[in-house]
Amino acid sequence: MCSILDQRIVGNRLFFSSGNYTFDDDGLPGHNTSSLYWLFLNDPINVSGPIDLNSLGSTDLPNDSLTGGTSPEAGGAAGTFFYDHTTLYLYAGLVGPEADGINNALWAFNSTIDSWSLVQVEGGKISFGNDSEGVHARIPAQSFNSSSPQWTFETATSGIQGLNILKGVMVYVRKGQADLLIAFGGYQTAYTGVEFAAWPWDRRPFSDVFIYDIFSNTWYQQTATSDLPDLRTEFCAGVSSAPDDSSFQITIHGG
């Protein structure tokens, strides 16, 4: 699955959407679909080959804004799910001419009754569709505030003015007065690259590490050394920590 929308576990189900899929029963090459899928985690899963379709549940996406319209680009593009213990709110990662058709609202899937609704979000005009393939992070053990959903826009007041990363990763780390966001990898989009003939950007070296201090609203760029990972995009990253938060480790996979 390429550029899969950020997966989310709710109860005994793993939800996911977007990406390219190959189904044994349709004879087609990898292609996008207009469905939200879930995998039942309480059932045994054979991972030695393709997933048994009997292990999957699905429902149609409710609107062209979630499928990229009538002619979506293959694979969609990476986005994320917000979550409030029962409901998934789909944000970004949905490309196509209709993807920017809804402002100040998120499509929400209630996993208790398996139904869709359109939820209004206050805080300023924002169209969620084509904000695709950027980086995002969420705070573990916290959920989306569904009682009064609201956007908050932050503008860096010092340090570097943000980062230019496409298809990289960002992780949340419990460090500092109000914790940190750390981003790296992917493509740099600040200027046209020379690495690929048919792609406008170069991959970022893993020596480039961007740190956002939430308390001071400041971005920093650090240079990593030693044994750097190979250049890559569209990979996964996770954070593990010591019991007393005295040290942290970021592990990456795939790409």
Side-chain angles (χ1 to χ4, degrees):
M1 290 175 285
C2 174
S3 299
I4 190 170
L5 190 70
D6 186 37
Q7 64 277 1
R8 173 67 77 163
I9 294 176
V10 182
N12 69 333
R13 293 187 286 177
L14 172 66
F15 288 87
F16 56 94
S17 185
S18 190
N20 284 334
Y21 308 92
T22 301
F23 297 93
D24 285 347
D25 60 351
D26 64 12
L28 298 175
H31 59 282
N32 198 359
T33 73
S34 298
S35 297
L36 172 70
Y37 295 98
W38 55 83
L39 185 65
F40 295 97
L41 300 178
N42 286 350
D43 299 333
I45 301 171
N46 185 348
V47 296
S48 62
I51 295 174
D52 186 345
L53 293 181
N54 292 325
S55 300
L56 284 178
S58 67
T59 185
D60 291 339
L61 296 175
N63 187 276
D64 277 349
S65 65
L66 292 184
T67 63
T70 55
S71 301
E73 294 183 20
T80 191
F81 288 127
F82 297 118
Y83 173 57
D84 72 350
H85 299 295
T86 61
T87 302
L88 300 171
Y89 302 83
L90 277 69
Y91 175 82
L94 306 156
V95 296
E98 289 85 358
D100 271 348
I102 298 176
N103 292 321
N104 302 327
L106 294 174
W107 279 103
F109 181 76
N110 187 315
S111 65
T112 303
I113 57 177
D114 287 357
S115 68
W116 291 98
S117 62
L118 190 62
V119 176
Q120 297 300 309
V121 183
E122 302 298 329
K125 182 178 180 180
I126 185 168
S127 183
F128 67 85
N130 280 333
D131 292 339
S132 58
E133 300 182 304
V135 293
H136 63 272
R138 58 176 176 260
I139 301 175
Q142 287 199 7
S143 60
F144 182 67
N145 182 5
S146 59
S147 61
S148 57
Q150 181 174 343
W151 301 115
T152 299
F153 297 90
E154 301 287 349
T155 301
T157 55
S158 61
I160 64 172
Q161 297 301 298
L163 64 165
N164 298 286
I165 289 181
L166 179 74
K167 300 186 179 184
V169 300
M170 177 184 287
V171 295
Y172 165 84
V173 174
R174 296 189 304 267
K175 197 72 173 177
Q177 290 180 274
D179 305 327
L180 305 173
L181 301 176
I182 299 177
F184 51 85
Y187 297 101
Q188 69 77 22
T189 58
Y191 52 85
T192 301
V194 298
E195 186 178 1
F196 305 101
W199 183 254
W201 300 296
D202 291 342
R203 290 173 293 180
R204 273 196 178 278
F206 276 83
S207 56
D208 292 347
V209 178
F210 297 89
I211 300 173
Y212 180 70
D213 179 59
I214 298 174
F215 179 78
S216 65
N217 190 25
T218 303
W219 279 104
Y220 300 93
Q221 182 174 356
Q222 300 292 316
T223 300
T225 58
S226 190
D227 187 13
L228 299 174
D230 294 334
L231 301 179
R232 68 190 69 195
T233 66
E234 299 178 271
F235 56 98
C236 300
V239 178
S240 56
S241 63
D244 60 355
D245 284 352
S246 59
S247 63
F248 297 86
Q249 178 171 291
I250 301 173
T251 302
I252 68 172
H253 175 73

